[in-house]
Amino acid sequence: MNKDTKFIDYIDRVSKCKRCKLCGLGQHRCPGLGNLNAKVMFIGEAPGKVENPELRGLPFVGNRSSDLLLECVYTNWPNGYDDVYITNTVKCNPPDNRKPEDSEILACKQFLREEINLVNPKVIVCLGRTAANWFGITEPLNRAVYIDYKWEGCLVKVLYHPAYVLRFGFQATLQYLAFFRLMKKRIDEYVG
Ligand code: SF4
C-alpha cells in the first residue's frame, strides 16, 4: 500500500472506531490533516467543539484556538497544511471540550502512532501537556518549552496549547506568535 492508500484506510478505521467511550459522547471526530511527507507534525489534545457543521472533522479548524494556531502556522509555513501535518492525541471531541481521560488516550494511542509512522516527521511539536505526556515528557510546560527533546530520532518541541494562551489575552497571544517564530528558527536549523 502506498501512503495515500494507507491514509485512506486509517481515516476509515478512525471513522468507525468504538474503542473508547468518546465515540458516542462528543460532537465529532477527526483524523489528522496535512502533507503526508511533512517534516513537521503538530499534535494537539483533542478535536474541539465547532459550531459550523461544515468544519467538523478537521483538526484545528473552526474555533478561536484553531485560528491562533493556524495564524502561527501560516505565518511561518506559508503553504500551511501543504507544508505540515496537524493532528490530535485523541481523535474524538470530548463532551464539553473536557480533557481526554487516560483510558481514552491509551485507547487512541494506536492511531497517533500510525500517523507518526506514516508521515515520519523529523520534528514533532506538542501543543500542550496532553501531547507532551504522550512522549513521556513530564517537566512543567514553562520549562519544557525551552528544551529540545529527542524521541525515536525526532526532535520534539513543546508549546503551550493555543486555547491556554487565549485565556491570558492579547499580550500573551503576541508572545506566543513571537515564541513560535523562534521555534521555527530552531526547526529550520535542525531540518536544514
Ligand atoms: Fe476510537 Fe480514538 Fe475516538 Fe476513542 S477517541 S473512539 S479510540 S478514535
Side-chain angles (χ1 to χ4, degrees), residues 62-121:
N63 51 42
R64 284 181 67 224
S65 71
S66 305
D67 291 346
L68 176 55
L69 178 69
L70 292 187
E71 179 163 354
C72 292
V73 168
Y74 275 85
T75 301
N76 291 286
W77 287 270
N79 297 319
Y81 284 102
D82 288 332
D83 277 344
V84 303
Y85 184 92
I86 302 178
T87 190
N88 280 300
T89 308
V90 300
K91 312 306 175 195
C92 294
N93 167 232
D96 302 320
N97 281 349
R98 68 156 167 78
K99 277 192 169 298
E101 296 170 2
D102 288 349
S103 62
E104 294 156 357
I105 293 167
L106 188 64
C108 214
K109 191 166 188 166
Q110 174 196 321
F111 285 134
L112 181 53
R113 180 81 232 192
E114 276 189 52
E115 289 175 289
I116 295 169
N117 288 350
L118 188 66
V119 177
N120 195 21

Side-chain angles (χ1 to χ4, degrees), residues 105-169:
I105 293 167
L106 188 64
C108 214
K109 191 166 188 166
Q110 174 196 321
F111 285 134
L112 181 53
R113 180 81 232 192
E114 276 189 52
E115 289 175 289
I116 295 169
N117 288 350
L118 188 66
V119 177
N120 195 21
K122 287 187 182 311
V123 181
I124 290 171
V125 181
C126 300
L127 300 162
R129 188 182 311 283
T130 299
N133 288 167
W134 198 95
F135 293 92
I137 296 167
T138 53
E139 279 88 0
L141 289 197
N142 61 357
R143 281 222 307 274
V145 295
Y146 296 106
I147 298 174
D148 282 353
Y149 294 94
K150 277 298 188 88
W151 181 86
E152 297 194 3
C154 288
L155 171 68
V156 177
K157 298 295 292 176
V158 177
L159 286 178
Y160 290 101
H161 193 284
Y164 177 79
V165 175
L166 285 169
R167 290 188 212 161
F168 298 96

